[in-house]
Amino acid sequence: MNIKVKPMGDYQTNCYIVTVDGKDFIIDPGIDATEWVVNNVTNPVAILNTHGHFDHVWSNAELQNKLNIPLYTPKDDIMLLSSSSWMSDLPPSYADIEVEPNQEFDFDGVKVKFRHFPGHTPGCSTIEIGDAMFSGDFIFEKSIGRTDFPYSSPKEMRESLEKFKQIPYDKTIYPGHGGTTTIREEQQYSDYWIGNI
């Protein structure tokens, strides 16, 4: 597996290109991500959203059209693809696949698992491919996603962190902002966040 990353836009939102067995998966194409993505893929097969906030989905539609590939978005965040309370000029996009909570997909032998961790947004999910977890805005290095936004839920975030604590394996975490960490590392801080949300 090969992973390319580039922070996009004012919020430095990480856009990832994950290549497995010659297939390119584009995760969270944010603001002005299109040119970088197009220049760094050879066999793109899907666009994957961890959640629906504008800085993670801005280039969805442009890449759908340019690359002629499907968009996978957690179903509970579909409403965020066409309107943003922060960015009225968000280019609307439309999911080809509305991902059910904890749904897994098989792309000719490459397994892609969405794991539902609501709280930051209703559909907020991590995406697991091989030994990597792309955590969007759920978990960061020594931090978690904010719960004071429209559609956020502190209660659901606490429940999600309880679920996260129970993951029995370790993987490298590639978050939506900032640098990498691991599941085991961030599980150490789960109780702190549960008690302080």
Side-chain angles (χ1 to χ4, degrees):
M1 181 164 60
N2 180 261
I3 299 172
K4 298 186 183 81
V5 58
K6 184 170 183 183
M8 298 292 174
D10 291 343
Y11 294 90
Q12 293 290 279
T13 304
N14 290 330
C15 175
Y16 294 98
I17 298 171
V18 185
T19 305
V20 187
D21 295 344
K23 303 176 185 70
D24 298 320
F25 300 89
I26 300 147
I27 298 178
D28 287 358
I31 295 172
D32 296 331
T34 300
E35 182 180 1
W36 178 74
V37 169
V38 169
N39 288 337
N40 282 277
V41 294
T42 53
N43 182 29
V45 297
I47 302 163
L48 314 173
N49 292 153
T50 59
H51 67 295
H53 278 159
F54 74 91
D55 57 317
H56 294 254
V57 306
W58 191 275
S59 298
N60 276 351
E62 195 170 32
L63 283 167
Q64 279 175 285
N65 292 331
K66 276 186 178 292
L67 300 176
N68 193 30
I69 57 175
L71 170 64
Y72 292 68
T73 304
K75 65 177 294 187
D76 293 331
D77 277 12
I78 294 297
M79 76 288 191
L80 297 173
L81 296 182
S82 53
S83 66
S84 168
S85 54
W86 299 293
M87 302 291 280
S88 58
D89 55 344
L90 171 70
S93 57
Y94 302 93
D96 299 286
I97 307 294
E98 297 185 7
V99 179
E100 298 289 340
N102 304 311
Q103 190 168 1
E104 184 173 84
F105 300 91
D106 190 325
F107 294 86
D108 294 325
V110 180
K111 289 185 167 52
V112 174
K113 168 79 173 182
F114 282 77
R115 189 183 282 269
H116 190 217
F117 289 113
H120 181 66
T121 65
C124 192
S125 299
T126 63
I127 298 170
E128 293 183 29
I129 305 174
D131 59 0
M133 171 186 272
F134 299 89
S135 64
D137 285 1
F138 170 51
I139 289 281
F140 308 108
E141 184 181 11
K142 297 182 175 64
S143 189
I144 60 171
R146 290 174 59 174
T147 58
D148 58 341
F149 291 147
Y151 303 109
S152 295
S153 167
K155 176 179 180 291
E156 287 192 332
M157 179 62 91
R158 285 191 291 270
E159 292 169 354
S160 290
L161 288 165
E162 290 285 0
K163 283 194 302 181
F164 178 75
K165 276 172 55 180
Q166 304 307 316
I167 294 175
Y169 50 81
D170 198 15
K171 294 189 178 194
T172 301
I173 292 176
Y174 296 83
H177 306 267
T180 60
T181 181
T182 67
I183 292 174
R184 286 279 182 265
E185 180 71 16
E186 299 313 316
Q187 283 175 330
Q188 299 179 71
Y189 307 109
S190 296
D191 286 336
Y192 171 81
W193 294 115
I194 290 166
N196 285 276
I197 295 173

